[in-house]
Amino acid sequence: MSSTKDIDALIEMMAKLPGLGPRSARRAVLHMIKKRALLMIPLSDTLQNVAATARECLNCGNIGTSDVCDICTSHKRANGEICVVEDVADLWAMERSGVFKGRYHVLGGTLSALDAVGPEELRIPKLMTRIADEHITEVILALNATIDGQTTAHYIAGELETRGVAVTSLAQGVPIGGELDYLDDGTISAALKARKAL
Amino acid sequence: MSSTKDIDALIEMMAKLPGLGPRSARRAVLHMIKKRALLMIPLSDTLQNVAATARECLNCGNIGTSDVCDICTSHKRANGEICVVEDVADLWAMERSGVFKGRYHVLGGTLSALDAVGPEELRIPKLMTRIADEHITEVILALNATIDGQTTAHYIAGELETRGVAVTSLAQGVPIGGELDYLDDGTISAALKARKAL
Ligand SMILES: [Zn+2]
Ligand SMILES: [Zn+2]
């Protein structure tokens, strides 16, 4: 309990963030009040800036500050390879490993009969367009090793069968049930190097 | 990696919060970008408001929005009891339990020879002043059951010996719903020593 509505509201909002519960939200708020000038005010300002400028890349779904992201506009990344990931956190994880030199395509989730998520909800039509437009020769499916992730990988592989592109997937090093964003950079790097044709 | 400095800066700041690491900071930032209007902008605004208004109560060290907090100014809480806690999070925890009806005194830490924290750093002189000014009859030491917490409790109890106030501390024992097999030896030992006739 705090004596002010704003502090209570702040704790409630912080507790909505993934990874934080009520207790850690309270700790975080007290910590920020102690670090007002060094942390709380800069954080508020930066949140405002990011809220004003961050947007999804219209091409790949990455988060950036322009309509088309830096990776999509970089000519150095136009090597004919597209790495398909479930979400932006996975793209960031791939980038941290520093091994992949092509471009990305962020699906925004996985196919799921249960949640009624079909290809149209997943930026899959856009992937098909890009494969033609960007002269793609290899599609690397870097989806999570979950049932939904693998179902989605097989669906995309099926759609690409007649398109004349190689379809590969991360293989070695990704543990069963593992999610990319939890893996260390070395594991991702090994999995990419040992990728196999589907 | 993100393509913009602000997003990177935001992740870095979030990762400084207690309970959040780099990975959960990245997740939190992506979550906020998705919930821009509902979470990110209100959070930024509320951080700004709290940064502008939150202050430590000059009397007890609680966090509020006025020089003296609501608990210290409430006549209903002037029952002659002061509960001494290490930090504001502990005060909030006590308030959530709803059992204590007196006022608080937040030390702001514990005595620590290692970290050179003495009584002057801990709002202990102010506690002595309040005991006289507020006609305190009982001081309840609700300090953590750590070595530093208990050292601090013993120091304060010593200082209060000649002041004519009762000095008590929270009972140590088995928490409600606690299973013996999950408790550390110290807790079991304390609970045995403090055993009561049924
Ligand atoms: Zn892009
Ligand atoms: Zn107060």
Side-chain angles (χ1 to χ4, degrees), chain B residues 94-195:
Chain B
M94 289 291 298
E95 282 295 281
R96 285 196 303 281
S97 83
V99 173
F100 181 66
K101 303 300 183 194
R103 289 178 180 160
Y104 294 93
H105 197 72
V106 181
L107 294 179
T110 52
L111 294 174
S112 167
L114 210 66
D115 299 325
V117 179
E120 301 290 328
E121 279 77 45
L122 284 187
R123 233 179 249 121
I124 287 178
K126 178 71 184 171
L127 174 63
M128 300 306 161
T129 316
R130 289 186 64 192
I131 286 167
D133 292 353
E134 298 181 29
H135 311 293
I136 297 303
T137 55
E138 181 176 354
V139 173
I140 298 160
L141 300 172
L143 304 181
N144 291 332
T146 57
I147 291 173
D148 281 347
Q150 294 310 299
T151 302
T152 307
H154 282 290
Y155 173 83
I156 294 172
E159 292 293 299
L160 294 177
E161 235 166 9
T162 57
R163 300 256 180 164
V165 292
V167 180
T168 59
S169 69
L170 295 189
Q172 288 188 330
V174 181
I176 303 299
E179 294 178 52
L180 287 191
D181 196 26
Y182 286 84
L183 296 177
D184 63 291
D185 300 346
T187 302
I188 292 176
S189 157
L192 183 72
K193 284 178 191 153
R195 66 190 181 275

Side-chain angles (χ1 to χ4, degrees), chain A residues 124-154:
Chain A
I124 288 179
K126 178 71 184 172
L127 173 63
M128 300 304 161
T129 317
R130 288 186 65 193
I131 286 167
D133 291 354
E134 300 180 29
H135 310 293
I136 298 303
T137 54
E138 180 176 356
V139 173
I140 298 160
L141 300 172
L143 303 181
N144 291 331
T146 56
I147 291 173
D148 280 345
Q150 294 311 300
T151 303
T152 307
H154 282 289

Side-chain angles (χ1 to χ4, degrees), chain B residues 57 59-62 68-69 72:
Chain B
C57 172
N59 197 47
C60 77
N62 186 18
V68 181
C69 77
C72 284

Side-chain angles (χ1 to χ4, degrees), chain A residues 21-197:
Chain A
R23 184 176 179 280
S24 44
R26 288 191 296 267
R27 290 265 162 198
V29 167
L30 286 173
H31 181 77
M32 288 191 290
I33 290 173
K34 277 178 197 160
K35 305 264 177 190
R36 195 182 308 233
L38 279 173
L39 182 54
M40 196 175 210
I41 293 170
L43 180 59
S44 170
D45 292 344
T46 310
L47 280 166
Q48 207 68 52
N49 291 345
V50 171
T53 60
R55 66 191 73 186
E56 271 184 5
C57 172
L58 295 174
N59 196 47
C60 76
N62 186 17
I63 298 287
T65 52
S66 42
D67 283 344
V68 181
C69 77
D70 293 353
I71 295 174
C72 284
T73 51
S74 166
H75 292 299
K76 289 183 186 166
R77 311 286 301 234
N79 66 354
E81 294 175 8
I82 277 190
C83 177
V84 177
V85 292
E86 287 179 24
D87 58 36
V88 174
D90 297 331
L91 187 162
W92 289 353
M94 289 291 299
E95 282 295 282
R96 284 197 303 280
S97 83
V99 175
F100 181 66
K101 303 299 183 195
R103 289 178 179 160
Y104 293 92
H105 197 72
V106 181
L107 293 179
T110 51
L111 294 173
S112 167
L114 211 65
D115 300 325
V117 179
E120 301 289 329
E121 278 78 43
L122 285 186
R123 235 181 247 119
I124 288 179
K126 178 71 184 172
L127 173 63
M128 300 304 161
T129 317
R130 288 186 65 193
I131 286 167
D133 291 354
E134 300 180 29
H135 310 293
I136 298 303
T137 54
E138 180 176 356
V139 173
I140 298 160
L141 300 172
L143 303 181
N144 291 331
T146 56
I147 291 173
D148 280 345
Q150 294 311 300
T151 303
T152 307
H154 282 289
Y155 173 83
I156 294 173
E159 292 293 298
L160 294 176
E161 234 165 12
T162 58
R163 299 256 180 164
V165 292
V167 180
T168 59
S169 70
L170 297 189
Q172 215 176 54
V174 181
I176 302 300
E179 298 188 13
L180 286 190
D181 197 29
Y182 283 88
L183 297 177
D184 62 293
D185 300 347
T187 303
I188 290 178
S189 159
L192 183 74
K193 282 177 189 152
R195 65 190 184 275
K196 290 175 182 170

